[in-house]
Structures are given as C-alpha cells and as structure tokens.
Amino acid sequence: NYTLYDTPGQKMYQDVVPLYLTGALAIFIVFDVTSVSSFESVKNQWMPLVENNGKGYDKIVVIGNKIDLEYDRKVSSEDARIFCIQNGCEYMELSCKTGEGILTLLTFVNASASKRARSEKKKANNKPQMAILYR
C-alpha cells in the first residue's frame, strides 16, 4: 500500500510540506515543461525545502509534466537532467493528459518500494512497513 500526498505548489502552502516529508519513500517534485518559472521554482523553492526538512527519504524524483505540449516546450530535457545530476536526484518526464511516462513512473516507484520494504523487513525483524510517497 502507498499513501500519496499531493501538496499545492503555491508558496502559501509551503509551511505544511515539511510535515509530510519525514520517512517518505520518494519525494516527487513536478514542474511544467512549458514554463521556465515552474522549473525555477523546483530549483529555488522546492529543492531547498526538501533538503532542509526531509529526513529518511530514499529518492527525490523531479518530474517534467506536459510533454504532450512539445511545440510549447520551454524547459529542455537536457537542462532538467543536468540539474538533477548536479543535485543527486532522478529525472522523469510524462504527460498526465496522454498517460505517456506514467507506467515508467509507477514501475520505478514499485521497484523502489519493494527494495526498501525488503531492507526494512530485515532490519525490523520481519515487521511489515508502509511506504509513503509525496509530491
């Protein structure tokens, strides 16, 4: 079982996000590939918030959304990948509208959760663990 918390992107909700970060399996930070300001908020707002408040998470995954709007794209895959390499996080792209990339994301999440559950099961003397995912 997974619990997914979808937090609003507006700064006014930023204070509640740290409450959800501790113990997360993964933290997803989603941005709009058709908006430079959306990507800038990943760099200047969300990554610092996670780095300063997150504890125990396995991965940060930056997700470029709206790849179906390639003709209006403002943030290149290469720029996003370079940022992720420099910051030690994963990068994926998808389209919530068409579903492209969703299966890849879910497969990645499931593999990460299975790996963590096996690891924690060994540590916790065979007690089942719940994985929590965040965006």
Side-chain angles (χ1 to χ4, degrees):
N1 288 338
Y2 304 107
T3 301
L4 177 65
Y5 294 99
D6 182 4
T7 60
Q10 294 90 349
K11 284 191 177 193
M12 62 191 268
Y13 296 104
Q14 195 169 342
D15 291 340
V16 299
V17 173
L19 302 173
Y20 299 111
L21 294 176
T22 301
L25 168 67
I27 297 169
F28 300 123
I29 303 174
V30 181
F31 75 96
D32 176 351
V33 300
T34 68
S35 168
V36 173
S37 65
S38 178
F39 184 58
E40 290 298 317
S41 73
V42 171
K43 297 194 277 188
N44 301 323
Q45 177 184 351
W46 296 108
M47 285 296 288
L49 182 73
V50 169
E51 290 168 354
N52 292 330
N53 296 286
K55 294 175 180 62
Y57 58 86
D58 290 342
K59 298 198 182 296
I60 297 173
V61 183
V62 175
I63 300 172
N65 186 29
K66 299 188 181 181
I67 60 171
D68 55 292
L69 301 175
E70 188 62 35
Y71 58 88
D72 199 26
R73 187 178 195 122
K74 302 288 189 293
V75 180
S76 72
S77 295
E78 183 179 352
D79 287 345
R81 287 185 201 289
I82 290 169
F83 170 78
C84 287
I85 289 167
Q86 291 171 341
N87 289 277
C89 51
E90 304 283 337
Y91 181 65
M92 296 183 170
E93 292 189 331
L94 54 79
S95 168
C96 288
K97 182 177 182 178
T98 67
E100 183 181 349
I102 299 289
L103 185 57
T104 302
L105 175 63
L106 294 175
T107 301
F108 171 81
V109 168
N110 193 47
S112 296
S114 296
K115 182 178 177 182
R116 181 171 174 173
R118 284 191 302 275
S119 174
E120 288 183 355
K121 193 172 184 181
K122 289 177 186 175
K123 291 179 192 175
N125 206 12
N126 295 327
K127 295 179 183 175
Q129 299 293 318
M130 181 176 77
I132 302 175
L133 309 178
Y134 302 86
R135 173 183 167 277

